[in-house]
Amino acid sequence: VGPYVLVTPKETRRKQLQQSNIFISFYTCSVAKKELDDLEQWKKEHRPGPVTLVPQRLGGNESEAQVRQNQQMILMQSKYQKKNKREEYVKAKKAAEEAEILKKKAIQREKAERLEVKKRQEEMQRREMLLEDQKYKTNELLNRLDVSLPKSDSCQIANPGPESTAWKRSHAFKQALREDENRRLEEMKQEQQRK
């Protein structure tokens, strides 16, 4: 704490201030009292007189019991109306959800039908190719048998050339089927990933 200087009060100035404070407080009290007295006087002078009303029947033609009964009915009706509104909202929400579910099911059904049609077409193509290959092999076998019929009891060795080409064709056909199957599986996987 730094050094400080204590100043002694002047007695005359202090007494003057105290006297002026006492005078001011006395003056304000007397003014306030006078204003309150004036207010009370004004209230007495301007007091409203007695109210005189012509007696008349209020509340319509219904009795109090009927009015209360009507209020009770209105309250019950409002409760039922709120309940009905809530039920209608729930029904509408359920109907919207069911419609959305039916829409999704229809989309899935269409996709499944398209996939089924595609599978049937591929199966038909495969069968046609198989029948063609079978016919070709049958004709090839018949031609080979006609060419290489044994004329004596000796055994003849068949020409290995056509067999190798038939084996190549069947191998190529099986390879094409495998590639087609792999391609279909890849498409189905991509479709599932998109879903």
Side-chain angles (χ1 to χ4, degrees), residues 119-129:
K119 281 183 181 178
R120 274 194 231 125
Q121 287 176 352
E122 288 174 354
E123 185 67 23
M124 291 285 288
Q125 287 176 355
R126 192 177 66 80
R127 284 185 183 176
E128 286 174 4
M129 287 175 69

Side-chain angles (χ1 to χ4, degrees), residues 126 129 167 170-186:
R126 192 177 66 80
M129 287 175 69
W167 182 84
S170 68
H171 185 69
F173 176 72
K174 287 178 185 176
Q175 186 71 22
L177 283 178
R178 264 192 239 114
E179 288 175 1
D180 192 37
E181 188 70 27
N182 288 338
R183 184 181 50 77
R184 268 191 290 139
L185 285 171
E186 198 64 41

Side-chain angles (χ1 to χ4, degrees), residues 13 19 27-28 47 51 64 77 80 87 89 94 102 109 112 114 124 138 146-147 154 159 166 180 185 191 194:
R13 178 75 177 144
Q19 285 176 358
Y27 177 75
T28 52
R47 183 177 291 159
V51 177
E64 185 179 350
Q77 285 176 356
Y80 285 123
E87 287 175 358
Y89 173 73
K94 280 185 180 179
L102 288 174
R109 198 177 302 117
R114 271 190 260 127
M124 291 285 288
T138 307
D146 285 344
V147 170
S154 63
N159 188 10
D180 192 37
L185 285 171
E191 192 172 332
R194 274 181 288 184

Side-chain angles (χ1 to χ4, degrees), residues 15-161:
K15 284 180 182 175
Q16 284 177 357
L17 284 173
Q18 283 178 346
Q19 285 176 358
S20 64
N21 285 342
I22 291 168
F23 177 73
I24 289 170
S25 63
F26 176 74
Y27 177 75
T28 52
C29 286
S30 64
V31 170
K33 190 174 180 185
K34 185 175 182 293
E35 287 178 353
L36 283 171
D37 291 340
D38 290 345
L39 180 65
E40 288 296 325
Q41 185 68 27
W42 184 87
K43 282 183 182 177
K44 283 179 185 175
E45 288 174 2
H46 294 85
R47 183 177 291 159
V51 177
T52 54
L53 291 173
V54 179
Q56 55 182 341
R57 187 170 182 173
L58 300 173
N61 298 326
E62 296 178 351
S63 66
E64 185 179 350
Q66 287 176 335
V67 170
R68 295 209 182 276
Q69 189 176 2
N70 289 343
Q71 286 177 344
Q72 192 71 20
M73 289 280 290
I74 290 168
L75 183 64
M76 288 174 67
Q77 285 176 356
S78 68
K79 283 182 182 178
Y80 285 123
Q81 285 174 353
K82 285 180 184 176
K83 188 177 178 183
N84 286 339
K85 279 184 183 178
R86 203 178 311 121
E87 287 175 358
E88 287 175 4
Y89 173 73
V90 169
K91 283 180 185 176
K93 192 175 179 182
K94 280 185 180 179
E97 287 175 358
E98 287 177 4
E100 188 69 26
I101 289 169
L102 288 174
K103 188 177 176 183
K104 287 180 181 177
K105 281 184 180 178
I107 291 169
Q108 290 296 327
R109 198 177 302 117
E110 285 178 11
K111 286 181 181 177
E113 286 173 0
R114 271 190 260 127
L115 192 62
E116 191 67 32
V117 168
K118 193 175 179 183
K119 281 183 181 178
R120 274 194 231 125
Q121 287 176 352
E122 288 174 354
E123 185 67 23
M124 291 285 288
Q125 287 176 355
R126 192 177 66 80
R127 284 185 183 176
E128 286 174 4
M129 287 175 69
L130 187 64
L131 282 172
E132 284 178 16
D133 193 50
Q134 211 170 13
K135 284 179 186 177
Y136 179 77
K137 284 182 180 179
T138 307
N139 289 336
E140 193 177 80
L141 181 64
L142 288 174
N143 289 337
R144 202 172 49 205
L145 286 175
D146 285 344
V147 170
S148 62
L149 278 174
K151 294 180 180 165
S152 61
D153 290 337
S154 63
C155 243
Q156 291 184 352
I157 298 171
N159 188 10

